């Protein structure tokens, strides 16, 4: 019985060592080998629901295309390649739809965060100061294309952060961004 428990613990350890947190599927991986980063099939995002101070707006690719575009080149640690994304700075999106950054909102910005969620229910958390160019050197964009082409299996929207060393807070098939303030 004790040997079976040890074997089960060992197998679970191997399973979790190769597990992709975003899809929670166990992958069999030989010891010392990094699993290729794979995503489960997910319904592609076709719109982006933005909620700021309880006000919800549904955005399309056309809505974002009409805004000032930014292009960034980032290194994707999962694929070991450099990728070039185009889209709108998240701070610009927030400003246009209810969270402008100026003297009147500076304190609120310091006490606010956002949750970005994908169609597969994978979500990440950012402080608003991390996405606002006046406060942070990095660029966080809502990308609508990669390499000049639509995102493909990553849906119509993808959140990409130029300052993260790994793309752990990038959200493919981005479907919702919710901004919350703590007062």
């Amino acid at each position: 019985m004790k040997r079976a428990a040890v074997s089960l613990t060992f197998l679970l350890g191997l399973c979790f060592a190769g597990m992709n947190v975003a899809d929670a599927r166990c992958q069999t991986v030989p010891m010392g080998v990094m699993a290729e980063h794979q995503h489960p099939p997910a319904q592609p995002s076709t719109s982006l629901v933005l909620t700021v101070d309880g006000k919800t707006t549904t955005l399309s690719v056309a809505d974002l295309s009409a805004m000032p575009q930014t292009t960034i080149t980032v290194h994707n640690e999962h694929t070991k390649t450099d990728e070039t994304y185009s889209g709108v700075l998240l701070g610009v999106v927030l400003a246009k739809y209810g969270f402008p950054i100026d003297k009147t909102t500076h304190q609120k910005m310091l006490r606010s965060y956002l949750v970005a969620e994908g169609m597969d229910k994978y979500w990440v958390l950012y402080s608003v100061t991390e996405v606002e160019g006046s406060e942070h050197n990095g660029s966080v964009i809502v990308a609508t294309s990669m390499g000049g082409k639509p995102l493909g299996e990553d849906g119509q929207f993808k959140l990409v952060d130029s300052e993260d060393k790994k793309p752990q807070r990038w959200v493919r098939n981005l479907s919702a961004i919710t901004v919350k303030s703590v007062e």
Side-chain angles (χ1 to χ4, degrees):
M1 182 72 155
K2 186 175 184 179
R3 185 175 186 173
V6 169
S7 295
L8 180 58
T9 303
F10 176 75
L11 288 174
L12 286 173
L14 286 177
C15 179
F16 285 115
M19 188 171 82
N20 177 339
V21 177
D23 65 6
R25 290 183 301 162
C26 180
Q27 301 171 7
T28 307
V29 180
M31 294 291 288
V33 175
M34 185 173 174
E36 180 182 333
H37 186 76
Q38 296 180 11
H39 298 285
Q43 181 179 356
S45 57
T46 56
S47 62
L48 176 61
V49 177
L50 176 66
T51 305
V52 178
D53 288 334
K55 182 182 176 198
T56 300
T57 305
T58 301
L59 303 171
S60 67
V61 170
D63 294 327
L64 290 181
S65 296
M67 299 174 72
Q69 300 292 298
T70 297
T71 299
I72 61 172
T73 300
V74 292
H75 182 75
N76 184 334
E77 187 59 32
H78 291 313
T79 62
K80 306 290 187 208
T81 60
D82 289 341
E83 298 171 345
T84 301
Y85 291 93
S86 295
V88 182
L89 289 167
L90 183 51
V92 170
V93 174
L94 295 180
K96 180 172 174 104
Y97 293 98
F99 201 130
I101 303 301
D102 57 28
K103 289 180 183 181
T104 64
T105 61
H106 185 76
Q107 287 297 319
K108 181 178 180 181
M109 177 191 63
L110 294 172
R111 296 181 181 117
S112 297
Y113 64 95
L114 64 89
V115 176
E117 183 176 342
M119 293 296 291
D120 60 359
K121 302 301 177 198
Y122 180 78
W123 62 273
V124 297
L125 184 69
Y126 282 86
S127 163
V128 171
T129 58
E130 290 180 282
V131 303
E132 175 47 45
S134 67
E135 302 292 321
H136 185 67
N137 288 333
S139 295
V140 179
I141 68 168
V142 178
T144 55
S145 68
M146 182 176 87
K149 298 177 185 170
L151 297 171
E153 70 179 33
D154 283 348
Q156 291 187 354
F157 308 97
K158 183 174 185 175
L159 192 69
V160 180
D161 184 344
S162 68
E163 288 297 302
D164 285 349
K165 290 182 181 180
K166 296 180 182 176
Q168 300 170 104
R169 292 193 307 166
W170 298 7
V171 181
R172 60 190 283 281
N173 286 305
L174 180 66
S175 61
I177 296 173
T178 304
V179 179
K180 299 185 179 188
S181 297
V182 179
E183 296 294 329

